[in-house]
Amino acid sequence: MSEIEYSEKYYDDTYEYRHAELPPDVARLLPKERLLTENEWRGIGVQQSRGWVHYAIHCSEPHIMLFRRRLNYEQNHQHPEPHIMLFRRPLNCQPNHQPEAHHPT
């Protein structure tokens, strides 16, 4: 099986774009008349960071998948550092609440 080839990113005022060129054995798996969900394109082997959307079908070259995502997506969707999460209190906990001691009878 050949490898999927990825373009460099290109931009307009709203989106960043890239495309993925599928080898023939993978391109055969594409539906002809609809776009793929993220789970579907990941399922056929397309690998890229979060936020990309398959937004159009290139009719004359259906083996080329066209993707886009909003500019600055990664900066706007960063997750907190893992060490910060360790110190967050669960929502159902009360501050300074001490559990009652259990005394066997």
Side-chain angles (χ1 to χ4, degrees):
M1 181 160 94
S2 304
E3 290 189 23
I4 297 170
E5 294 184 23
Y6 300 91
S7 72
E8 295 294 322
K9 296 176 191 174
Y10 41 101
Y11 307 87
D12 65 16
D13 292 340
T14 307
Y15 294 100
E16 61 182 329
Y17 300 88
R18 74 181 323 182
H19 57 269
E21 186 172 345
L22 305 178
D25 55 329
V26 177
R28 281 194 302 273
L29 303 174
L30 290 177
K32 302 291 185 223
E33 298 178 8
R34 70 173 181 83
L35 301 172
L36 270 61
T37 66
E38 181 175 352
N39 285 340
E40 289 174 321
W41 53 257
R42 287 189 187 281
I44 62 169
V46 175
Q47 297 178 4
Q48 51 192 349
S49 56
R50 300 261 179 228
W52 291 99
V53 175
H54 181 211
Y55 76 99
I57 296 171
H58 194 300
C59 293
S60 63
E61 296 181 296
H63 65 288
I64 296 178
M65 296 184 71
L66 304 172
F67 293 95
R68 72 178 180 191
R69 70 176 172 186
R70 289 234 171 242
L71 287 175
N72 302 315
Y73 177 88
E74 289 181 324
Q75 291 84 359
N76 295 330
H77 291 84
Q78 290 180 351
H79 297 288
E81 293 295 323
H83 68 276
I84 294 171
M85 295 299 290
L86 293 175
F87 298 104
R88 292 185 67 184
R89 184 169 38 91
L91 294 176
N92 62 350
C93 288
Q94 300 297 319
N96 301 321
H97 177 265
Q98 298 295 325
E100 294 180 25
H102 176 67
H103 299 287
T105 55

